[in-house]
Amino acid sequence: MYAMLFESVSKRFVMGHDRARSFQDLMLRTLRPGSHTPREILWALKDVSFMIERGEAVAIVGRNGSGKSTCLKLMTRILTPTQGSVDIQGRVAGLLELGAGFHPELTGRENIYLNGALMGLSRREIAHRFDEIVAFAELERFVDAQVKFYSSGMTMRLGFSIAICVNPDILLIDEVLAVGDQSFQEKCLERIEQVRANGVTIIFVSHALETVRALCERVIWLDQGQLREDGACDVVVDDYVAAVHAHEEVAVE
Amino acid sequence: MRGLLLERSDQQRTATTLFDRVAEVIHRRELLGVLVSRDLKLRYKNSVLGFLWSLINPLLLMIVFTIVFTIMIPDLHVPNFPVFVLCGVLPWNFFSTAIISSIPSISGNGHLIKKVYFPLEVLPLSTLLAHLVNFLLAFIVLIGMIVAFGIPLTVNLLWLPLVILTQLLFTGGVALVLSTTNVFYRDTGVIMEVLMQAWFFLTPVFYPLELLPEMTVVRGIELPVQRMVYILNPMASIIASYRAILYGSTLGSPPHAPALDFFARTLVTAALAFIVGLWIFNRYRERFAEEV
Ligand SMILES: Nc1ncnc2c1ncn2[C@@H]1O[C@H](COP(=O)(O)OP(=O)(O)OP(=O)(O)O)[C@@H](O)[C@H]1O
Ligand SMILES: [Mg+2]
């Protein structure tokens, strides 16, 4: 049984600077038709197919802008594919990019309830897990402080803690661990290992290749939106490192 | 555990028809509740004073209009003028503040939209409901005024939920459209502030509709002004309904039920506005996470 199935998925973005962003802008553009620039289209993902089995730990690697975050957003249904189809089996939770979805004016406690509700938990379920979430994030002293007074590491701790405590079937992590201090990073990795052992599917985006090697058995390498390689962790990471070095050498020359 | 599993598979479905959308929002009503209380918390910072502060504006308007139309321009002859005005100002304030604050409800919540999937309709709708709470609290003041002016509280008050529902549907429809528009054109709010001002004067909020001529001839064309206001402006009909059940008529007769055919037309218009709002929202919703 699979957890995630991508079938020839493509995602197209229309670059923002070519479009009127306000009515004022729209009016100016209609008045001066000569100023029209052709729409610039960007394929963030192009014809990407893969299947992730239930319980697998998969990393996605690739250079900046290669489409990793876009991939994860498709996995949560935040984005919908332009072409192809994405099939998700199970509850997805995760941390997408830096800055969890917190409201700075609300307290940690209020944000936990808000985030839990966004993820589809009932009040009772959140109340049930509340202490666990706070304890894991080690933020007991700060739950009733507004999140705007949190450090970025503390915000990330809380976000990670919520994501992992809602018992998802599929856990997505996009680069966020880097903000945590050493001890919290280790604690997170330990916890990820633990939920993995319980059969949770892990999809991990990181530029920290050592962590990727430690955590995942399979790696998907994206290159300019295309799937370059998909296979055993050591093989793909080695190829990826080699390609990055080759690229650097070309750049130096 | 079993229940949780069922709920999960249910969340999986990407709902696309309008009926599915409504079902999904109803299914996530708990989220709606959390968002409403977040809204109220942020607005009032947990203080009673914050709520009282929100009453200042309608009361001030009431006082100003009362002074203008009973002392400065005294030939309007509307009995119990303060109650008459408040019956218009409160629903109007509810409408305009709910609209203005729901406009950035999608574009201003990028931090949530880009993080988790949830039915985005709950964002403008929760703003609307937070303002409803406010409106209902303000109603206590209105009822106090009605009693103080000796206007009878009649059985027609039972119409109130239906009138409020009508207003909610209409306001919700407008809010859904404008919050969508603002994602793509970020000056929607600025434009609407101005249009709202115009809309306010075109709605019989502080003057009775009967003040308008029944017919006017503009460039040789006969315009039935009074009927046009009702037909083109659902807010006029909605405020007229509030006045009918709470205030009565400007001729001094006690509160009465709104005319059935008139009210039915208003309700249908409001429901249509809501459906159109949902449809437009649904048509563009998939692009929201890319644009915010
Ligand atoms: N909402 C958007 N509108 C327009 N273009 C976008 C949008 N989101 C992403 N892109 C473009 O899509 C491409 C892929 O972006 P993505 O965020 O997926 O990269 P990434 O692999 O996560 O990079 P990084 O390693 O820097 O996090 C980029 O070129 C980016 O500019
Ligand atoms: Mg990224």
Side-chain angles (χ1 to χ4, degrees):
Chain A
M1 199 47 199
Y2 62 80
M4 190 73 66
L5 178 66
F6 270 52
E7 283 180 305
S8 352
V9 171
S10 298
K11 180 68 195 174
R12 188 188 68 186
F13 289 117
V14 177
M15 297 305 280
H17 55 82
D18 296 326
R19 205 174 53 71
R21 295 246 142 216
S22 63
F23 283 110
Q24 189 191 349
D25 207 10
L26 189 69
M27 231 163 65
L28 289 177
R29 278 171 195 244
T30 7
L31 292 178
R32 283 182 295 139
S35 65
H36 264 292
T37 41
R39 291 203 313 171
E40 197 180 318
I41 277 167
L42 182 121
W43 289 91
L45 285 179
K46 193 118 189 64
D47 198 21
V48 172
S49 304
F50 56 78
M51 180 198 277
I52 292 172
E53 296 290 337
R54 208 168 261 193
E56 254 187 314
V58 181
I60 302 178
V61 299
R63 302 170 50 92
N64 292 136
S66 55
K68 305 180 296 295
S69 300
T70 306
C71 214
L72 291 204
K73 283 182 186 153
L74 287 163
M75 290 175 175
T76 50
R77 296 196 299 153
I78 292 171
L79 294 179
T80 43
T82 314
Q83 283 162 15
S85 71
V86 174
D87 191 21
I88 307 150
Q89 298 288 332
R91 188 206 288 262
V92 181
L95 274 186
L96 302 181
E97 297 185 319
L98 298 175
F102 293 135
H103 198 293
E105 294 289 326
L106 294 176
T107 64
R109 179 187 304 276
E110 288 160 349
N111 268 304
I112 291 176
Y113 277 95
L114 175 59
N115 251 274
L118 284 169
M119 291 182 188
L121 296 185
S122 69
R123 249 196 114 68
R124 275 221 347 262
E125 285 175 298
I126 305 165
H128 185 66
R129 286 166 210 186
F130 188 83
D131 291 337
E132 190 192 346
I133 292 173
V134 176
F136 186 83
E138 299 169 20
L139 288 174
E140 288 89 346
R141 276 181 55 212
F142 300 93
V143 264
D144 289 310
Q146 287 173 316
V147 166
K148 66 179 171 188
F149 297 126
Y150 284 23
S151 71
S152 48
M154 285 159 68
T155 317
M156 187 282 285
R157 279 171 182 238
L158 190 57
F160 183 84
S161 187
I162 295 174
I164 206 140
C165 292
V166 300
N167 293 343
D169 302 309
I170 305 170
L171 182 66
L172 309 179
I173 301 156
D174 192 349
E175 300 185 89
V176 288
L177 293 187
V179 195
D181 57 34
Q182 194 62 37
S183 82
F184 191 71
Q185 275 191 37
E186 275 160 20
K187 187 171 161 185
C188 287
L189 291 175
E190 212 170 280
R191 189 59 190 268
I192 294 172
E193 284 290 355
Q194 203 181 327
V195 295
R196 218 197 118 188
N198 294 337
V200 173
T201 312
I202 313 269
I203 299 169
F204 187 67
V205 168
S206 179
H207 295 288
L209 297 176
E210 285 321 305
T211 318
V212 168
R213 279 189 212 264
L215 200 66
C216 306
E217 72 251 17
R218 175 178 162 199
V219 173
I220 292 172
W221 172 11
L222 290 178
D223 188 17
Q224 295 182 18
Q226 277 167 324
L227 194 139
R228 175 88 169 256
E229 207 175 332
D230 175 1
C233 177
D234 287 328
V235 181
V236 181
V237 170
D238 286 345
D239 288 350
Y240 174 60
V241 171
V244 170
H245 282 311
H247 185 87
E248 272 169 10
E249 268 156 37
V250 172
V252 167
E253 279 165 25
Chain B
M1 198 60 209
R2 188 77 227 153
L4 212 64
L5 281 173
L6 282 176
E7 195 182 289
R8 279 177 207 178
S9 60
D10 192 309
Q11 275 175 18
Q12 282 308 310
R13 212 183 47 217
T14 323
T16 42
T17 69
L18 290 192
F19 185 75
D20 283 341
R21 298 306 303 164
V22 174
E24 199 178 348
V25 171
I26 292 173
H27 180 75
R28 298 294 295 274
R29 58 190 175 278
E30 198 145 1
L31 171 60
L32 210 53
V34 171
L35 288 172
V36 169
S37 71
R38 175 191 73 157
D39 235 59
L40 292 172
K41 264 185 200 135
L42 288 175
R43 194 135 36 99
Y44 299 139
K45 301 258 186 296
N46 293 321
S47 76
V48 184
L49 212 66
F51 163 68
L52 289 180
W53 189 243
S54 74
L55 281 179
I56 299 279
N57 177 295
L59 289 178
L60 211 61
L61 274 180
M62 178 193 80
I63 293 169
V64 169
F65 287 129
T66 306
I67 291 172
V68 169
F69 288 106
T70 57
I71 299 173
M72 294 163 72
I73 315 173
D75 45 348
L76 208 55
H77 303 305
V78 174
N80 303 320
F81 196 78
V83 177
F84 169 84
V85 167
L86 210 54
C87 279
V89 165
L90 284 184
W92 175 266
N93 262 27
F94 171 33
F95 174 69
S96 75
T97 52
I99 293 295
I100 293 295
S101 43
S102 68
I103 286 175
S105 64
I106 300 292
S107 47
N109 276 310
H111 60 288
L112 301 181
I113 294 172
K114 288 197 205 169
K115 172 135 198 286
V116 241
Y117 170 83
F118 59 96
L120 300 180
E121 287 87 348
V122 298
L123 290 172
L125 294 182
S126 66
T127 311
L128 173 62
L129 292 180
H131 282 274
L132 172 68
V133 172
N134 206 27
F135 175 59
L136 292 179
L137 288 172
F139 240 89
I140 300 169
V141 177
L142 176 59
I143 298 290
M145 292 278 292
I146 290 173
V147 174
F149 276 80
I151 299 170
L153 291 171
T154 63
V155 68
N156 291 306
L157 276 178
L158 293 175
W159 278 88
L160 203 54
L162 211 53
V163 179
I164 293 176
L165 175 72
T166 311
Q167 182 172 3
L168 276 177
L169 287 172
F170 180 66
T171 316
V174 178
L176 285 166
V177 173
L178 293 178
S179 57
T180 305
T181 314
N182 195 53
V183 172
F184 300 99
Y185 301 108
R186 295 296 167 96
D187 52 355
T188 306
V190 184
I191 294 175
M192 279 315 292
E193 296 252 8
V194 179
L195 291 184
M196 273 299 182
Q197 206 103 43
W199 197 340
F200 172 70
F201 286 106
L202 292 173
T203 307
V205 178
F206 61 90
Y207 57 88
L209 186 79
E210 295 77 44
L211 195 72
L212 303 178
E214 263 188 57
M215 282 285 179
T216 303
V217 179
V218 179
R219 292 169 181 260
I221 305 168
E222 281 196 354
L223 295 176
V225 179
Q226 286 197 9
R227 281 198 43 219
M228 270 172 58
V229 169
Y230 278 138
I231 291 170
L232 296 177
N233 181 2
M235 275 316 288
S237 318
I238 288 169
I239 287 178
S241 308
Y242 279 111
R243 283 215 173 108
I245 59 178
L246 293 166
Y247 167 82
S249 83
T250 46
L251 301 175
S253 63
H256 52 88
L260 274 185
D261 58 332
F262 168 77
F263 186 71
R265 268 199 304 275
T266 312
L267 184 56
V268 169
T269 313
L272 278 179
F274 191 70
I275 291 169
V276 170
L278 275 179
W279 185 81
I280 290 179
F281 191 93
N282 191 38
R283 186 148 160 24
Y284 291 100
R285 134 185 91 86
E286 290 186 343
R287 285 178 54 198
F288 290 168
E290 296 169 24
E291 300 285 341
V292 293

